[in-house]
Amino acid sequence: MPGERALLAGVVAGLNDLDGAAGDPGYARLHPPVYLGDETSSSEWWRLMGDQLSQARDHDREVFDRVVAQSESVLSPDDARSFLRVVNQGRLVYAARLGIEVAEDLEELDEEEDIALWFLSYVVDDLSSVLAGFIH
Amino acid sequence: MPAPVIDIGTEDVVEDERPWQVIVWDDPVNTITYVIYVFRQIFGYSKRKATKLTMQVHNEGRAVVNGGPREKMEVDCYQLHSYGLWATIEQQ
């Protein structure tokens, strides 16, 4: 459905302008500390793993954009996992930028934000359930 | 004249060999269904074990999801981050 596709694409577009330097909560959510209380070790982990993670996320995004652009309805499990990760990243960044840090913050959303987040949750849960069927 | 005795410090240095573990933390956005799937996909856990760990994250705020050598835990952490879960590493 065009409206749902546009909503998905719109939320994922929020991944285009992640900005760590500007204190973007979306960026912070996708780059959290790995060693609590040890900034040196956390920085080292991100130094070693950050580029690889960034490349993996870029690959997932390419799959997502292709699927949406070509209106693909049948995906391989690998493509479906990429699609799932991107949609969930979009959710995380969207929610972080709305200031959602604890469950109670969800009650402060307006109707449009609430519906958007609910729809994205539905997509993530539905796809997770389908992919779980491929795990033996 | 006796040879000088130089104390070079012979304290034993004992490396901390406690194993490492990966912790997943609760957050208000990742859904339970999704987290269960991620645990099954990354670690090969049964649905029962993945569900138990997910509910521990949800109810207690965190759960130890795996343990072992530090290098392995760093890779596990990478995989969890690729799925958007917040994971950290610490020694047991």
Side-chain angles (χ1 to χ4, degrees):
Chain A
M1 294 175 68
E4 292 172 347
R5 188 174 301 130
L7 175 57
L8 267 179
V11 169
V12 170
L15 299 174
N16 294 343
D17 58 356
L18 294 171
D19 189 346
D24 176 9
Y27 179 92
R29 179 58 187 84
L30 296 186
H31 299 81
V34 171
Y35 288 91
L36 294 181
D38 187 350
E39 199 171 317
T40 301
S41 294
S42 271
S43 296
E44 183 65 7
W45 187 92
W46 277 106
R47 187 184 69 80
L48 291 170
M49 301 285 196
D51 283 347
Q52 192 174 345
L53 187 57
S54 182
Q55 288 169 17
R57 287 172 171 170
D58 286 346
H59 167 76
D60 286 346
R61 182 64 187 277
E62 288 171 6
V63 171
F64 175 89
D65 289 344
R66 186 196 78 222
V67 168
V68 171
Q70 299 179 11
S71 300
E72 294 180 23
S73 58
V74 179
L75 305 180
S76 69
D78 280 346
D79 281 355
R81 279 188 283 272
S82 289
F83 189 93
L84 172 63
R85 285 190 291 261
V86 172
V87 174
N88 197 59
Q89 276 172 37
R91 286 180 69 242
L92 294 174
V93 168
Y94 180 70
R97 288 172 172 169
L98 289 176
I100 297 173
E101 296 179 356
V102 295
E104 288 73 21
D105 293 335
L106 293 166
E107 298 169 15
E108 303 301 318
L109 299 177
D110 64 34
E111 186 176 351
E112 187 177 325
E113 293 163 346
D114 191 40
I115 289 174
L117 208 53
W118 174 86
F119 171 70
L120 294 168
S121 302
Y122 168 76
V123 172
V124 165
D125 280 357
D126 196 43
L127 194 45
S128 296
S129 297
V130 171
L131 282 169
F134 288 88
I135 298 174
H136 301 289
Chain B
M1 183 179 221
V5 175
I6 303 171
D7 183 357
I8 62 174
T10 56
E11 292 177 340
D12 289 333
V13 176
V14 179
E15 281 194 19
D16 187 345
E17 296 182 346
R18 287 177 295 156
W20 294 79
Q21 57 191 20
V22 174
I23 313 293
V24 168
W25 297 83
D26 186 35
D27 75 76
V29 183
N30 279 313
T31 69
I32 286 176
T33 301
Y34 180 74
V35 176
I36 291 172
Y37 165 71
V38 171
F39 288 164
R40 294 186 66 193
Q41 175 64 30
I42 291 177
F43 299 114
Y45 291 157
S46 67
K47 187 176 180 180
R48 178 189 292 268
K49 180 169 182 176
T51 302
K52 182 179 177 183
L53 286 172
T54 300
M55 294 316 298
Q56 187 177 354
V57 171
H58 180 67
N59 293 325
E60 299 178 22
R62 54 169 271 170
V64 175
V65 298
N66 205 12
R70 182 172 183 171
E71 293 74 18
K72 173 66 167 62
M73 297 304 97
E74 294 199 329
V75 172
D76 287 350
C77 197
Y78 166 90
Q79 294 205 67
L80 290 163
H81 279 236
S82 77
Y83 277 93
L85 270 62
W86 181 25
T88 60
I89 302 169
E90 63 185 44
Q91 281 184 292
Q92 293 181 11

